[in-house]
Amino acid sequence: MCFRKGGPSPKLGGVRGVWWVLAVAGAGCAPADVDLFLALPPAPDASRFVFDVAGADPVVLDPADPGDFALRLDVSEGAPAVEVLAYDDEALPVGPLVAAPAGEIGLSLPNPDDVFTLVVDGELASWEPASSAALSSSFLRRLCAPITAVTASWDVPGFPQWAEPIGDEVVFAMETAGEITMYRTDGGAPVMLANPFERRAAPFSVWRAANDSVWYGATNGRVYRGRLTRDGIVDITEQYAFPSSFTDVRIDGHLDAARNIELFAVTDYGDVAHFDGNGFTAVDGSVEFGEQHIAWHAPGEALIVENETTNVAVVRGGRIRRIAGPEEVVHSIAQTALGTMVGLGNGTITRFEADEWSTVGRQPSAFVLDIIDADGGLYFLLASGRVGRFHDPQGLCEAQGVLPVLGFRGLLSRLGDGLFVIGELNSSAAVTQGARLAIGGP
């Protein structure tokens, strides 16, 4: 593929097209190469075309103004592979698309409206519609930075509960037979931390407010506040107590631009409390779910989901009410810069907004075990042991394998410029495997 230095793209008989250069031998755009006219693919609603020629970086064209772009097709060794993706999306930047450098995050293309392949017969060329099924592996691999393990994976007993970065390490918690044990990554295998908690007052669910400030729901029906350090959570003070002390508490919150904190907490019994910045109040009603997850959704609102079901409730106006759930069972929930995201049992990530569900992306046949916020998008962990990324509006990066097939629990955390991942190896044995991950390769 080359850019012709002279002459605009042609328009013959009112038909917009591009020059293509038929080369029978040699390399480069030689003066002896034959210039031939090629109409653009028949997609009248398209505002962008992405030309993908084997062996070259893809190029995005504006069909209304292709500029001096030219295809150079060397047919000396057979017909070249050329694919064109059509989009009705003027937000796609015009110009070459290149792979992400090592250490940087690459972006994928969204799903196209149409796909065409080029058929060459001598000096004749035409476009044929193609399935988009294969498109995307080549583009996704090319445009998404690799995610690779940079430390040998290790095993630790228990089921993962939460993980939070602290400096260049991660503090995380494991649950075994109702007991919480905290660990710290230490370059390689994790180090067990001292347990400063009174009986049944261990952190079951943690929300990070800012810097080292954390709030956590405990295993004794209470909410605490403290500071996260590399040695665990310190300077702990009790903030709220639910009626029962024999229940685990899950918590989530939001810190706004004015640094005001809002929190929601839910117990295994379905009791919900709301912190408005001044104090906690009990929310009217309860959710009669089993194992549940909660996410702050909007000021004064939270979303509660029952794990491995489609049961969903919202907290709004100081009350709880059931609403219609997503298409598949829920396995994870997170508040991100893109909104409240829910991971489903069929590999779908769906956005919750205005009591409606809209699909953000889908990876085949794998539970979405965890979702975390990322600059301009999110990362997700699948039960297949693969990690992927979604960026709005560019789309979904193909998930990449980093761990063996997992059970029903797994967690992701940011760790410097990379990621940290832990996941149970199966759904019956209390053994979890983890590793540090690099974005862009080691």
Side-chain angles (χ1 to χ4, degrees):
M1 189 156 19
C2 64
F3 287 89
R4 185 166 295 284
K5 299 300 183 183
S9 295
K11 186 175 182 181
L12 302 182
V15 177
R16 179 70 69 178
V18 295
W19 293 115
W20 67 294
V21 183
L22 181 63
V24 295
C29 293
D33 293 342
V34 180
D35 291 344
L36 299 170
F37 175 77
L38 176 64
L40 289 172
D45 295 331
S47 57
R48 292 290 185 270
F49 285 118
V50 179
F51 280 74
D52 181 24
V53 180
D57 288 325
V59 174
V60 181
L61 292 185
D62 179 351
D65 183 19
D68 59 0
F69 172 78
L71 285 171
R72 181 181 186 280
L73 306 179
D74 187 343
V75 297
S76 59
E77 296 183 0
V82 179
E83 245 186 0
V84 172
L85 284 59
Y87 294 91
D88 184 13
D89 183 2
E90 295 183 353
L92 283 177
V94 173
L97 295 172
V98 297
E104 295 186 13
I105 299 172
L107 306 178
S108 67
L109 292 169
N111 292 327
D113 300 309
D114 294 290
V115 181
F116 301 89
T117 55
L118 183 66
V119 177
V120 178
D121 183 9
E123 293 187 4
L124 299 177
S126 61
W127 301 106
E128 286 189 357
S131 166
S132 61
L135 136 106
S136 287
S137 59
S138 61
F139 270 98
L140 293 170
R141 281 195 299 270
R142 179 176 298 160
L143 299 175
C144 292
I147 300 174
T148 54
V150 293
T151 59
S153 59
W154 38 257
D155 295 347
V156 65
F159 300 104
Q161 286 297 122
W162 55 266
E164 288 290 337
I166 182 76
D168 61 352
E169 298 172 314
V170 171
V171 172
F172 63 97
M174 307 296 296
E175 181 269 329
T176 306
E179 296 294 326
I180 301 293
T181 305
M182 296 173 58
Y183 294 85
R184 181 185 70 242
T185 59
D186 197 23
V191 174
M192 184 184 298
L193 302 180
N195 184 3
F197 308 105
E198 297 178 7
R199 178 171 172 79
R200 291 196 54 78
F204 184 78
S205 170
V206 168
W207 176 70
R208 184 85 164 263
N211 299 323
D212 62 353
S213 175
V214 294
W215 296 64
Y216 70 86
T219 53
N220 64 350
R222 286 168 167 75
V223 176
Y224 296 88
R225 187 175 185 177
R227 286 193 309 109
L228 181 69
T229 74
R230 65 189 304 273
D231 296 317
I233 300 176
V234 300
D235 300 337
I236 299 167
T237 58
E238 182 178 319
Q239 302 293 312
Y240 182 75
F242 283 95
S244 173
S245 61
F246 294 94
T247 182
D248 297 327
V249 178
R250 294 185 184 271
I251 190 170
D252 194 43
H254 177 72
L255 181 70
D256 67 17
R259 304 187 72 77
N260 297 311
I261 290 176
E262 183 178 33
L263 296 167
F264 288 92
V266 61
T267 72
D268 286 344
Y269 297 140
D271 297 320
V272 178
H274 174 223
F275 178 79
D276 62 2
N278 297 309
F280 277 94
T281 56
V283 174
D284 288 343
S286 64
V287 284
E288 297 178 356
F289 292 167
E291 181 183 352
Q292 51 214 343
H293 304 287
I294 191 167
W296 180 94
H297 176 60
E301 298 185 17
L303 181 68
I304 302 173
V305 299
E306 183 177 12
N307 194 40
E308 296 184 41
T309 75
T310 58
N311 295 328
V312 175
V314 293
V315 180
R316 184 178 294 139
R319 298 187 62 84
I320 303 168
R321 69 181 180 89
R322 294 279 296 268
I323 62 170
E327 61 183 25
E328 286 283 340
V329 298
V330 172
H331 279 271
S332 53
I333 183 172
Q335 175 59 221
T336 74
L338 303 181
T340 304
M341 299 293 177
V342 175
L344 306 183
N346 63 350
T348 297
I349 298 172
T350 184
R351 180 189 283 112
F352 175 76
E353 187 173 10
D355 291 359
E356 300 289 339
W357 305 92
S358 58
T359 298
V360 168
R362 176 175 291 152
Q363 297 282 294
S365 302
F367 305 141
V368 182
L369 298 181
D370 197 20
I371 301 170
I372 63 170
D373 209 7
D375 296 335
L378 54 88
Y379 286 100
F380 56 91
L381 172 65
L382 301 175
S384 59
R386 302 171 72 83
V387 173
R389 185 180 188 203
F390 176 84
H391 190 287
D392 192 27
Q394 285 81 359
L396 191 71
C397 285
E398 184 179 30
Q400 302 170 52
V402 294
L403 289 178
V405 174
L406 304 175
F408 292 113
R409 298 192 196 181
L411 293 173
L412 281 173
S413 171
R414 294 306 302 261
L415 179 56
D417 294 332
L419 297 169
F420 170 78
V421 59
I422 49 177
E424 61 171 319
L425 295 184
N426 58 60
S427 57
S428 58
V431 177
T432 290
Q433 190 170 93
R436 291 176 179 238
L437 309 179
I439 303 168

